[in-house]
Amino acid sequence: MQFLSIFAIVAGLTAPIQCTLCGPPLQIDNFSRWSSNTNSLNDWTSDDGTMSTISASNNLLLFKPSSSGSYFYESFPCQTASTNGYNAVSFVIKGPSGGSLILEIASSVCCSANAQLSKNVQVIGLSGVTQTVIVPFSSAIGANPNAVRELTWSGFSTLNTVWQLSNISFVCIPSSVIV
Ligand SMILES: *[C@@H]1O[C@H](CO)[C@@H](O)[C@H](O)[C@H]1NC(C)=O
Ligand SMILES: *[C@@H]1O[C@H](CO)[C@@H](O)[C@H](O)[C@H]1NC(C)=O
């Protein structure tokens, strides 16, 4: 498996990463319970019928986007991710070579308030083989890493082809990895 960091196109990336806790990854979904639309945080995951096909086996989600409106999401109880030592979202993906997608990090001003703070991060230049993509919260300025509520994948560059997604996690990566 390739390890690759792909970063958002975001101007003014200045915030230093504080990562004092750096615990083991928090698994959001490994797709073992896709058949009941349930993720590893015991919450809802779905494409709301926007893909032409979608299924999971062997901890791998396979889906075929059919239009620019195709998406897939993971919702979960509000996560104080940065307080808990995480500074990035990690997922494993196999998409078309040169392909791109958008990861939306939906959050709110704090876990006890619902006011939405969402940010789209563009992931570009997929390799065409299975790879780990790391999206640091610092590439999603405008989203609150201390009140993360949902992750949504959309904007798939190639339609009517099978993409694979697996092992969605919050992770703590060394600041040296973040450019
Ligand atoms: C997948 O996650 C579940 C928890 O949701 C865990 O019990 C199971 O062991 C995991 N499976 C694999 C193959 O990692
Ligand atoms: C899932 O991803 C995390 C974070 O990248 C990694 O530490 C872990 O080994 C992965 N688990 C599997 C089963 O691939």
Side-chain angles (χ1 to χ4, degrees):
M1 185 187 299
Q2 273 199 348
F3 179 85
L4 213 88
S5 299
I6 298 178
F7 299 104
I9 323 281
V10 177
L13 195 62
T14 50
I17 300 299
Q18 300 297 330
C19 200
T20 49
L21 276 170
C22 251
L26 175 70
Q27 181 179 284
I28 296 170
D29 205 354
N30 67 4
F31 299 105
S32 63
R33 291 191 286 166
W34 170 256
S35 59
S36 56
N37 291 99
T38 304
N39 61 31
S40 305
L41 298 176
N42 293 312
D43 213 315
W44 189 254
T45 174
S46 177
D47 72 321
D48 292 339
T50 62
M51 301 284 182
S52 61
T53 63
I54 189 162
S55 63
S57 63
N58 299 319
N59 298 107
L60 208 57
L61 184 73
L62 300 118
F63 58 88
K64 209 187 264 192
S66 55
S67 78
S68 59
S70 295
Y71 61 85
F72 157 80
Y73 65 94
E74 297 281 354
S75 51
F76 33 78
C78 188
Q79 300 290 316
T80 54
S82 64
T83 293
N84 291 339
Y86 305 110
N87 60 9
V89 175
S90 166
F91 56 94
V92 174
I93 193 158
K94 185 178 175 196
S97 176
S100 63
L101 58 83
I102 288 167
L103 174 67
E104 179 190 21
I105 299 178
S107 63
S108 52
V109 286
C110 57
C111 280
S112 56
N114 277 320
Q116 288 284 309
L117 297 172
S118 290
K119 187 71 189 178
N120 287 337
V121 176
Q122 196 174 12
V123 174
I124 60 173
L126 297 180
S127 65
V129 300
T130 300
Q131 65 191 115
T132 298
V133 171
I134 307 283
V135 177
F137 292 132
S138 62
S139 69
I141 292 166
N144 180 3
N146 251 335
V148 187
R149 295 174 175 275
E150 194 168 86
L151 301 173
T152 303
W153 286 256
S154 67
F156 302 99
S157 58
T158 307
L159 305 178
N160 302 312
T161 187
V162 176
W163 296 59
Q164 296 180 3
L165 189 60
S166 59
N167 196 4
I168 301 167
S169 307
F170 286 139
V171 294
C172 179
I173 56 171
S175 52
S176 58
V177 174
I178 299 175
V179 291

